[in-house]
Amino acid sequence: MKLIFFFYFLLLPLLCKAQPYLPKEGDIVFQTSRSSQSAAVQAATASPYSHMGIVLFQKAKPYVFEAVQPVKFTDLEKWLARGKAGHFVAKRLKSPLNATAVEKLHVQARQYVGKPYDLTFEWSDERIYCSELVWKLYKQAANLELAPLEKLGSFNLKSPAVRKKLTERYGANIPFKEPVISPVAIFNSPLLMTVAKRGLSPKIE
């Protein structure tokens, strides 16, 4: 009996090992970006997750549609490996999207391809940032609001990293009342469930 318990505990890490990620259309993936603004986003939102995107398939291959410079499709595996420490979390709607909604995601995505990244986080479609892109795609394709919008002034804007970015981008005219959506707001959405993750979540910088 002792021998059985010995082998059980020896194999326990393997038995508990996370299953490989099997992506589906519309999945939302999160990571800690290595970009220069990542520390500011983390500090302002009290979350390690500073970048995100949505999984869409092209020719039966999964890609992450993301707002970088410019908005584009990135190979899923390359995207997952790009985050800090290789960590990511994948989430999915608890109520699956139907085929019509998935098709609408693709249709709506086309209007954003090639658009510039929004460094000032304005709520317009001329330029767009990562969480804004995902939020708007779900709203336009499935009439779902993944999380409530917030105001820029509601975040923690006191840390040095945040103050530096605000000064760089706004000078003295910070739009505190600008509607925004953060990665962590969508990450915490009650509409979503976690379907995969890799590695340990990095600490907030």
Side-chain angles (χ1 to χ4, degrees), residues 45-176:
T45 62
S47 169
Y49 301 107
S50 56
H51 188 53
M52 59 184 294
I54 183 171
V55 176
L56 295 174
F57 283 61
Q58 293 189 318
K59 297 181 178 179
K61 184 177 179 180
Y63 288 82
V64 177
F65 190 53
E66 60 174 338
V68 283
Q69 182 55 35
V71 175
K72 65 177 183 177
F73 288 91
T74 300
D75 177 84
L76 175 64
E77 285 304 318
K78 289 182 179 178
W79 193 94
L80 296 179
R82 197 177 69 200
K84 190 172 182 179
H87 172 70
F88 78 89
V89 175
K91 296 208 170 194
R92 185 176 297 159
L93 281 181
K94 294 177 181 177
S95 299
L97 291 171
N98 57 38
T100 299
V102 169
E103 179 57 30
K104 286 183 177 179
L105 280 176
H106 283 270
V107 172
Q108 294 299 326
R110 294 184 197 122
Q111 69 175 309
Y112 295 110
V113 174
K115 291 208 170 187
Y117 183 79
D118 188 357
L119 290 170
T120 53
F121 306 108
E122 297 174 17
W123 197 252
S124 74
D125 292 343
E126 297 306 310
R127 296 175 297 166
I128 198 156
Y129 55 92
C130 66
S131 44
E132 177 190 14
L133 177 67
V134 175
W135 193 97
K136 286 183 174 179
L137 285 177
Y138 263 92
K139 177 64 176 177
Q140 293 161 354
N143 197 31
L144 286 176
E145 296 187 2
L146 293 172
L149 299 182
E150 300 171 89
K151 301 292 184 183
L152 182 61
S154 68
F155 296 109
N156 177 12
L157 307 181
K158 296 180 180 180
S159 82
V162 177
R163 298 301 302 179
K164 180 180 178 181
K165 288 299 178 184
L166 290 175
T167 300
E168 286 176 2
R169 297 175 184 182
Y170 302 111
N173 301 311
I174 301 173
F176 294 108

